[in-house]
Amino acid sequence: MDEMFVTVVGGGLAGSECACQLADRGVRVRLIEMRPDTMSPAHHTGHLAELVCSNSFKATRIDSAAGLLKDELERMGSILLSCARQASVPAGGALAVDRERFSELVEQEVASRPNIEVVHEEATSIPDGQVVIAAGPLCSAALSAAVHELVGGEALSFFDAAAPIVDASTLDMDVLFRQSRYDEAGQGDYLNAPMNKEEYEAFIDALVTAERVVLKDFETTDLFQACQPAEEVARKGRDAIRFGAMKPVGLVDPRTGRRPWAAVQLRAENADCTAYNLVGFQTNLTFPEQRRVFRMIPGLEQAEFFRYGVMHRNTFVDAPHVLDRTFKVPGTTVRLAGQITGTEGYTEAIASGLLAALNTYADLAGLEPVYLPATGALGSLVAYATDPATQDYQPMHVNFGIVPPLEDGRRRSKRDRYAAYAERAQADLAAYLASRADLGIKAGLA
Ligand SMILES: Cc1cc2nc3c(=O)[nH]c(=O)nc-3n(C[C@H](O)[C@H](O)[C@H](O)COP(=O)(O)OP(=O)(O)OC[C@H]3O[C@@H](n4cnc5c(N)ncnc54)[C@H](O)[C@@H]3O)c2cc1C
């Protein structure tokens, strides 16, 4: 076999994991990182795998999606998860790290692999040959333009404006009613949370006074031209949102036989209707405030959030419509990894880098592509992110709202259900990995 060679653009979380995994499979890697000469607006150092914000990799409990993802990464021999464990600091049930120590360990891992050449320069175009683009949510302008040209049209976004997503099993269906506007049969696509005038007034008061995330300077320009946060709309006038996202027109509450004063609509996130988003409620409220304010919506008093709403700078492609199931741009030798694919979060970025390495290696070595079982934390995220049926794609982190329902149909408490998801995922991944000895995966942490 000719020497295998891959260029990885971006020495962040996904790129560093990808480079190490490829190197361990005998691939020569050129890892291009633009910092420190060209800085992103959020990074502060020239180090590989710099964490731009929080130092937490989230929960470790196996019956949480974040914990299950860590277990999967361990089974697949993730290098960066191992660095994170070695750099960990006390954080209760979460894995949090000393960020400098973490970067230092990642740099040692990269340096210990002689077949990785690190080049500190900005990639302004897409390199030739086998390439993994892992340039992150703050990909430089020139490279963003090149990616835009490659994927075409409307397929590259520069900011993320996502509404919260709630767990369907935590909604009060005695209060919510199913109906599309003007739909008399009552079999509509939306769940509606009706409000009377008092409930609406109290909700608006809470919405406009709730604590918001302070945006970074680079996020305030141009960001919201296309799309306003719900609290901003509400601030324009007490009834403004009643003429927008909360308009009751065409709805009849079956309990009263009348049109509600206002209504929040919830739309299914997946075909199994296990998760719903709050239509039009993209927001900059802090996460605890979203929980407090959105739980004031009738029927959502006990709602659990699979994802909170966000609005921030974020470069990502419309993966379901422009990438194949391995995150490759069809018909090219270019694969994307990390947050630029629209998967969100530190651990997700590491996982995506690992998977990109396995699939790129599979391409080079003539092996079958790597399709992880969709029951897993990572497998379900990939399935969601590459399913052409996914509409209005917004970045997503791992969560149990996107895994297929349990087949036995038994009713379980949320805790038992999550434990059952985890157990099923572990068994399916173990079986899959056992069938893929050709990928050279060494389970466990270094
Ligand atoms: C402001 C901000 C705060 C965030 N906070 C959190 C958080 O608290 N928790 C969380 O889980 N996630 C957070 N995220 C999401 C986080 O960025 C991702 O989860 C993760 O870092 C993405 O990993 P990545 O490898 O895709 O990108 P990154 O880790 O950003 O790595 C991309 C790398 O590519 C380099 N690069 C860019 N363009 C070029 C180019 N043209 N040539 C060469 N190199 C290039 C960059 O310098 C960077 O090192 C945040 C994102 C942002 C933007």
Side-chain angles (χ1 to χ4, degrees):
M1 198 191 305
D2 291 341
E3 188 195 40
M4 298 186 284
F5 174 70
V6 175
T7 305
V8 177
V9 181
L13 295 170
S16 300
E17 177 77 31
C18 183
C20 290
Q21 294 289 347
L22 285 168
D24 287 350
R25 287 168 176 78
V27 178
R28 193 160 65 80
V29 179
R30 189 162 198 255
L31 177 59
I32 305 181
E33 168 52 57
M34 68 179 183
R35 293 175 291 116
D37 286 349
T38 308
M39 293 297 280
S40 92
H43 289 84
H44 298 289
T45 75
H47 296 304
L48 298 177
E50 179 186 331
L51 303 180
V52 283
C53 188
S54 149
N55 66 335
S56 172
F57 287 78
K58 300 197 184 141
T60 52
R61 275 178 38 190
I62 188 77
D63 59 356
S64 69
L68 178 62
L69 179 62
K70 291 179 188 67
D71 178 71
E72 293 173 358
L73 281 177
E74 191 160 339
R75 285 163 191 265
M76 292 193 282
S78 165
I79 311 292
L80 264 66
L81 181 65
S82 166
C83 295
R85 290 255 161 86
Q86 291 172 62
S88 67
V89 296
L95 172 61
V97 301
D98 171 330
R99 65 183 73 229
E100 280 162 28
R101 178 79 185 125
F102 173 67
S103 272
E104 199 178 280
L105 288 167
V106 173
E107 292 194 333
Q108 281 171 16
E109 289 289 349
V110 170
S112 72
R113 291 168 169 80
N115 46 348
I116 303 180
E117 177 198 9
V118 181
V119 179
H120 285 278
E121 69 184 24
E122 180 189 348
T124 53
S125 59
I126 294 173
D128 293 334
Q130 283 283 347
V131 181
V132 176
I133 305 280
L138 305 171
C139 176
S140 76
L143 187 62
S144 294
V147 172
H148 198 177
E149 193 176 334
L150 186 71
V151 296
E154 304 286 302
L156 187 76
S157 298
F158 294 96
F159 72 91
D160 180 2
I165 296 179
V166 290
D167 180 344
S169 70
T170 62
L171 301 177
D172 185 347
M173 297 306 288
D174 290 337
V175 174
L176 302 176
F177 63 92
R178 182 172 289 286
Q179 204 174 81
S180 297
R181 286 187 206 287
Y182 307 109
D183 156 44
E184 285 171 13
Q187 288 299 317
D189 294 332
Y190 292 82
L191 294 179
N192 299 278
M195 284 189 197
N196 61 30
K197 189 162 189 288
E198 292 69 41
E199 288 165 337
Y200 176 78
E201 295 289 335
F203 177 67
I204 296 298
D205 285 342
L207 187 61
V208 299
T209 54
E211 193 186 336
R212 284 174 291 165
V213 175
V214 179
L215 292 178
K216 305 241 172 19
D217 287 348
F218 68 88
E219 292 180 314
T220 51
T221 38
D222 298 337
L223 203 55
F224 304 129
Q225 279 174 1
C227 181
Q228 288 277 315
E231 62 275 10
E232 283 303 328
V233 177
R235 203 167 279 122
K236 289 201 165 84
R238 287 203 78 73
D239 277 335
I241 203 163
R242 224 162 61 81
F243 288 95
M246 292 183 70
K247 82 172 171 236
V249 178
L251 297 175
V252 177
D253 183 346
R255 285 175 315 168
T256 62
R258 289 208 309 268
R259 183 162 105 178
W261 181 257
V264 174
Q265 291 204 298
L266 289 88
R267 186 171 46 221
E269 266 296 308
N270 51 21
D272 298 318
C273 297
T274 55
Y276 280 84
N277 69 65
L278 277 59
V279 179
F281 274 84
Q282 58 278 359
T283 175
N284 264 321
L285 301 194
T286 62
F287 292 176
E289 288 288 78
Q290 289 188 40
R291 193 176 170 84
R292 178 179 69 82
V293 175
F294 297 139
R295 281 181 154 201
M296 292 172 70
I297 299 171
L300 272 68
E301 292 85 353
Q302 306 294 328
E304 291 295 333
F305 291 77
F306 281 135
R307 182 185 77 185
Y308 288 101
V310 288
M311 294 192 76
H312 56 201
R313 165 85 189 273
N314 198 350
T315 306
F316 66 98
V317 302
D318 182 12
H321 303 112
V322 297
L323 301 182
D324 72 11
R325 286 169 64 202
T326 72
F327 289 125
K328 191 159 77 167
V329 182
T332 74
T333 51
V334 181
R335 181 167 276 113
L336 270 52
Q339 186 137 344
I340 200 165
T341 65
T343 57
E344 168 117 18
Y346 295 154
T347 320
E348 286 82 346
I350 293 173
S352 165
L354 195 162
L355 194 56
L358 295 181
N359 270 312
T360 304
Y361 173 67
D363 281 354
L364 290 166
L367 309 176
E368 288 291 309
V370 180
Y371 299 134
L372 296 176
T375 48
L378 180 56
S380 61
L381 185 63
V382 172
Y384 171 83
T386 59
D387 179 355
T390 301
Q391 294 299 324
D392 186 24
Y393 181 59
Q394 294 292 333
M396 181 71 100
H397 54 68
V398 292
N399 69 84
F400 284 141
I402 53 174
V403 303
L406 296 162
E407 273 122 34
D408 62 15
R410 268 176 47 205
R411 278 190 77 80
R412 294 176 169 86
S413 67
K414 193 179 98 182
R415 202 179 178 122
D416 286 352
R417 189 157 37 94
Y418 286 6
Y421 285 147
E423 205 177 307
R424 177 182 66 175
Q426 286 178 309
D428 288 354
L429 183 62
Y432 180 72
L433 294 180
S435 74
R436 293 304 308 261
D438 54 345
L439 294 172
I441 290 172
K442 292 194 192 76
L445 297 179

